[in-house]
Amino acid sequence: MGDDAYKAWKSTTDHSDSSNPADGITAFQSPPGHYLVQEGVTSPTLTQLSLKPSSPPPRSSSDSPARSPASKHRDSIPLTVERRDTLSTIPSDGVSLVEPSFDENVLRALCELDCGVPLLLDRIKQGLVSCREASVFFKKRAALEEEYGKSLQKLARGTSEVYSMNDGKAGSFVTAWQSSMRLHELMAENRIRFSHRLNEMSEELASLAKEVDKNRKQTKELASRYERVLQDAEINMEKSKARLDVSSEELERVLLQKEGESFSESAVQVKPGVLGGKRVLGKAVAKGGLLLKGKNPGNILRQEDDIRLRVSNASDSYRKALNDTQAMRQEYFNFQLPRILRALKECVDEIDLGTKYHLTRYAFLFESIVLSDGSTLVPIAPEEEATGLKALYEAIDNRADFKTYMQNYAYAHGGVAKGPRREGPAEEGFLPPLPTHNASYGAAQPPQSVANGNTQISDRGRPTFGIDLAEQMARDQVELPPILEKCCVAIEKYGIRCQGIYRLSGMARRVGMLKERLDKDMSSVDLDSEEWTADINNVTSVLKLWFRELPEPLLTFNLHQGFVDAAKIENDRLRHIRLHERVNDLPDPNYATLKYFMGHLHRIAQYEAENSMSIQNLAIVFGPTLFGQISNGSTSGHANVTMADAPYQNRALETILEHYADIFVDESEATA
């Protein structure tokens, strides 16, 4: 039985070395002779060998008077296993069960507690409950923030579009109104981003709780397996001890009979606490008496030899079971238990620190979103270009708006007679005209700026939209399309710091109006006027529309497949070289236009921190625009542009933007 228990223990130990969660600890094996064994001392009971710091003091030989030679032989067999301080038994010559960063004092205190393992298991349960509650809170808070952000964004956009279609006030009022709606859209986008961060934190906490719970169960199962094997070994040791006691009592009886002493007169001292006691001795004597009845001295000698042989075998079996149990206990308390406690303590630290980190991160994000809303409504530095909500509404000039409205109305309706006649002969009762103190109010003069777009613009017959790029550049005798330069200058001047520039679209009615004016007489359009700077997204939408309406896309149909094939190359350097070659293959008008426009986008990307338009975002916006699209049913000789090429179009444009200086900027230009 002792061999089986020890083999089971070793198999468990070997298995733990490969599957124990605390596999990062250096393995420690007790050296030979390290077991704490004292001969001539009675073995303590299982309760005395439990998780106490040390064993009771050993008994002296005087505690058992008048013992027979067999008793002396028996008492010289049991061994005492004394449990020393768990960590003090670990050699200090470079072998450590814990890392220097780990709190050894906490581990030492846990090893000295009888309830160290269940204490940590219950603590991990508490941490898991707290972690899951925080995860649920983040998820619900994210749903609320997302709903609020999307609702506010929808409200602001809808309000802006409805107002642009209605016949509302113009002038400074519409500027302040549309700007305030954009502020609301910005705050809505911040809330939506905040909800995404909360969702990420919720998922991370849920994953952390799941992983820690899995490690807790594995470590708990491992600890239970170790305890069961040790308990089985202790039970086996007790059984071996009981067999040794019975054999020893039989030997005492035979020796007494051999010396001619009666059982009633012999002073056999039965040791208290030994399994069986007087009850076992009485049964053995009664049984032995029947066996000795009527037998000669030769039979008694043979029986004595048999009993001595059984005593010797039982003694060896008990000694082996005791040594095996002591080895298991020594290895468990000095090696396996610290490993298990360390693994559980690391789970406690992981769940506690992870929960605290995400709560701290939540507090930081919450503070950031509140401060962001505050700085959006009231910019901190007065020199910033952004204007707060209160300042926008305070900038409404009702008097100037009314003056402009009067001028426009008088100009549009001044020739139509309405109401009673103002002038006539005095004899008919007409009053003389009143003197005019401010001619600007009464005179019907052309308006300075017409907000409703009804002003007629003469068509100069030099259209820009839908005209081949080379054709319009040759017609105008320019090196760059005028509309490209005009729009890019205005965008960099008024919109380079605007959130989502090029990603957000302008109002369809305003975009159509600007397109019509540019197409009829580009020189008469002033993009610096408040009419267009109030919402720069109208200008960006017109520029994108001009690119889309080119008969052939900027990167041409002939070179489309070459750009796509180059974008499929995984090596960054080789992809850059191949795309550079394709760019050089472009016709001169296309190359000049692409060079100017890539420089413009490169400058936009430099303000990514403010406008949130990275190179990747710009490539996604302009990939389909610059490459163009042909339906799959096209019969032209060009390669069909399908949706499958869209990722490679974006990748090609992103690579060109990343290497803008290498592709377009000459050394002479860079030096200048």
Side-chain angles (χ1 to χ4, degrees):
M1 295 294 291
D3 294 340
D4 297 338
Y6 189 70
K7 290 178 181 178
W9 169 267
K10 294 306 291 180
S11 64
T12 304
T13 305
D14 296 339
H15 176 70
S16 68
D17 291 338
S18 60
S19 61
N20 190 9
D23 53 1
I25 306 176
T26 305
F28 168 70
Q29 299 291 341
S30 300
H34 187 66
Y35 303 130
L36 308 176
V37 180
Q38 297 179 355
E39 296 187 1
V41 182
T42 305
S43 173
T45 61
L46 283 175
T47 56
Q48 294 170 330
L49 285 174
S50 59
L51 302 177
K52 294 182 180 179
S54 60
S55 302
R59 297 170 54 188
S60 63
S61 59
S62 61
D63 293 340
S64 300
R67 280 187 284 186
S68 63
S71 299
K72 295 179 181 179
H73 173 72
R74 180 189 63 199
D75 290 341
S76 66
I77 296 173
L79 305 175
T80 296
V81 179
E82 180 180 344
R83 181 183 169 197
R84 299 158 103 188
D85 188 281
T86 303
L87 295 180
S88 63
T89 58
I90 301 175
S92 59
D93 51 351
V95 180
S96 178
L97 293 181
V98 294
E99 299 175 357
S101 60
F102 193 80
D103 193 347
E104 296 187 9
N105 293 328
V106 174
L107 182 60
R108 185 189 300 272
L110 289 172
C111 290
E112 295 303 325
L113 290 176
D114 294 345
C115 57
V117 174
L119 180 149
L120 291 176
L121 291 175
D122 291 342
R123 180 62 177 177
I124 294 175
K125 277 187 177 180
Q126 292 180 349
L128 290 174
V129 172
S130 302
C131 181
R132 291 187 178 117
E133 286 297 323
S135 175
V136 171
F137 170 76
F138 290 160
K139 193 172 189 63
K140 292 182 178 179
R141 178 68 190 274
L144 292 176
E145 292 292 341
E146 185 176 11
E147 181 181 2
Y148 170 72
K150 289 183 177 180
S151 300
L152 181 59
Q153 188 179 58
K154 182 179 179 181
L155 174 63
R157 290 179 178 176
T159 302
S160 178
E161 293 175 359
V162 170
Y163 190 88
S164 63
M165 292 184 294
N166 293 335
D167 191 15
K169 291 199 300 184
S172 61
F173 180 86
V174 69
T175 301
W177 182 256
Q178 298 291 6
S179 298
S180 67
M181 292 301 105
R182 282 195 294 274
L183 285 182
H184 285 81
E185 285 188 42
L186 180 60
M187 291 190 293
E189 291 176 358
N190 291 337
R191 292 290 177 169
I192 293 175
R193 283 196 294 270
F194 181 46
S195 69
H196 292 167
R197 298 293 184 275
L198 290 178
N199 276 323
E200 293 175 1
M201 292 165 56
S202 175
E203 293 174 359
E204 291 174 2
L205 280 179
S207 177
L208 174 64
K210 183 178 180 181
E211 185 66 24
V212 171
D213 191 28
K214 177 183 176 182
N215 293 338
R216 172 188 174 276
K217 291 179 179 178
Q218 291 178 350
T219 309
K220 180 182 179 182
E221 181 182 358
L222 184 64
S224 301
R225 188 160 61 247
Y226 284 143
E227 292 176 358
R228 285 196 302 269
V229 173
L230 183 58
Q231 290 173 359
D232 293 341
E234 291 176 346
I235 293 174
N236 182 40
M237 182 189 68
E238 287 299 321
K239 291 181 179 178
S240 299
K241 185 172 181 294
R243 287 194 295 271
L244 177 62
D245 290 341
V246 172
S247 300
S248 299
E249 298 300 337
E250 290 184 5
L251 181 60
E252 289 181 359
R253 176 186 54 74
V254 171
L255 292 178
L256 291 176
Q257 288 293 338
K258 182 179 178 181
E259 295 175 2
E261 298 178 5
S262 64
F263 289 97
S264 59
E265 296 176 358
S266 64
V268 180
Q269 299 295 328
V270 180
K271 185 169 54 177
V274 177
L275 185 62
K278 295 182 178 180
R279 183 177 180 185
V280 176
L281 179 60
K283 291 182 179 181
V285 170
K287 182 178 179 182
L290 295 176
L291 294 175
L292 293 174
K293 186 176 181 180
K295 293 193 176 182
N296 54 30
N299 293 335
I300 294 177
L301 289 176
R302 285 194 297 274
Q303 188 174 11
E304 179 184 356
D305 293 338
D306 293 340
I307 295 175
R308 285 185 181 276
L309 181 60
R310 290 204 305 271
V311 169
S312 177
N313 293 336
S315 174
D316 293 341
S317 177
Y318 174 57
R319 182 186 296 274
K320 187 176 186 324
L322 184 61
N323 287 336
D324 292 345
T325 304
Q326 190 271 347
M328 296 178 195
R329 186 180 292 110
Q330 187 77 8
E331 186 170 0
Y332 174 74
F333 285 110
N334 288 346
F335 177 49
Q336 301 299 345
L337 182 60
R339 292 180 68 180
I340 293 171
L341 292 175
R342 183 183 187 277
L344 292 175
K345 184 62 172 63
E346 286 180 346
C347 289
V348 172
D349 294 342
E350 184 177 4
I351 195 70
D352 291 347
L353 294 176
T355 305
K356 179 181 177 181
Y357 165 75
H358 284 86
L359 290 175
T360 307
R361 184 183 174 194
Y362 163 73
F364 171 76
L365 291 176
F366 195 15
E367 292 174 359
S368 300
I369 195 66
V370 173
L371 292 175
S372 176
D373 288 346
S375 62
T376 301
L377 296 174
V378 184
I380 300 175
E383 65 273 6
E384 291 185 0
E385 295 184 4
T387 307
L389 187 62
K390 182 180 178 182
L392 284 175
Y393 290 150
E394 289 178 346
I396 297 176
D397 191 347
N398 291 321
R399 185 169 182 173
D401 290 348
F402 186 73
K403 177 181 177 180
T404 304
Y405 175 75
M406 285 178 61
Q407 293 175 353
N408 295 336
Y409 194 90
Y411 179 79
H413 303 86
V416 180
K418 293 184 179 180
R421 292 169 56 192
R422 179 183 297 274
E423 297 177 356
E427 59 271 12
E428 294 183 6
F430 287 96
L431 298 177
L434 296 176
T436 302
H437 299 283
N438 192 345
S440 62
Y441 279 92
Q445 50 185 320
Q448 297 176 356
S449 64
V450 181
N452 56 10
N454 293 329
T455 304
Q456 297 295 327
I457 299 177
S458 61
D459 191 347
R460 298 183 60 185
R462 304 172 71 90
T464 300
F465 289 83
I467 306 300
D468 182 74
L469 182 63
E471 180 182 340
Q472 58 179 296
M473 291 174 65
R475 179 196 65 194
D476 299 335
Q477 298 180 355
V478 292
E479 296 182 356
L480 287 172
I483 187 174
L484 179 64
E485 289 186 283
K486 193 179 189 72
C487 292
C488 288
V489 169
I491 292 169
E492 291 182 19
K493 188 175 182 180
Y494 301 105
I496 199 168
R497 290 183 172 85
C498 290
Q499 186 80 13
I501 188 70
Y502 280 120
R503 188 177 69 242
L504 301 178
S505 301
M507 293 180 289
R509 187 175 65 86
R510 305 288 293 174
V511 172
M513 182 191 305
L514 180 57
K515 174 191 172 184
E516 181 182 359
R517 292 187 181 185
L518 290 171
D519 219 22
K520 289 183 177 181
D521 187 4
M522 188 183 307
S523 60
S524 65
V525 179
D526 182 15
L527 295 182
D528 291 326
S529 66
E530 188 178 356
E531 180 180 6
W532 306 115
T533 59
D535 188 358
I536 200 65
N537 293 322
N538 295 325
V539 181
T540 61
S541 298
V542 166
L543 183 58
K544 289 188 290 184
L545 184 61
W546 177 76
F547 277 115
R548 286 197 297 270
E549 292 189 0
L550 288 174
E552 186 176 27
L554 183 63
L555 299 179
T556 73
F557 291 127
N558 291 331
L559 295 177
H560 174 270
Q561 192 59 39
F563 278 105
V564 171
D565 293 339
K568 293 180 180 179
I569 299 175
E570 294 298 330
N571 185 276
D572 294 338
R573 178 60 181 166
L574 184 58
R575 183 172 66 252
H576 164 212
I577 294 174
R578 292 293 177 263
L579 287 173
H580 193 170
E581 293 173 352
R582 300 291 79 78
V583 169
N584 290 338
D585 293 338
L586 288 170
D588 291 343
N590 299 62
Y591 180 87
T593 303
L594 181 65
K595 177 180 178 180
Y596 182 86
F597 189 59
M598 289 297 102
H600 167 69
L601 295 183
H602 184 72
R603 290 187 289 273
I604 293 290
Q606 291 177 349
Y607 290 85
E608 176 188 354
E610 300 177 59
N611 58 34
S612 300
M613 292 303 292
S614 62
I615 290 179
Q616 183 180 9
N617 292 338
L618 291 171
I620 293 173
V621 171
F622 283 100
T625 302
L626 300 185
F627 278 95
Q629 291 186 358
I630 304 178
S631 62
N632 289 334
S634 175
T635 57
S636 65
H638 305 297
N640 291 336
V641 182
T642 62
M643 292 301 296
D645 293 338
Y648 301 110
Q649 295 173 358
N650 301 341
R651 189 178 185 183
L653 198 59
E654 182 179 352
T655 304
I656 294 173
L657 276 173
E658 288 175 348
H659 301 280
Y660 164 75
D662 297 333
I663 295 176
F664 295 106
V665 180
D666 297 334
E667 294 183 0
S668 58
E669 296 179 2
T671 305

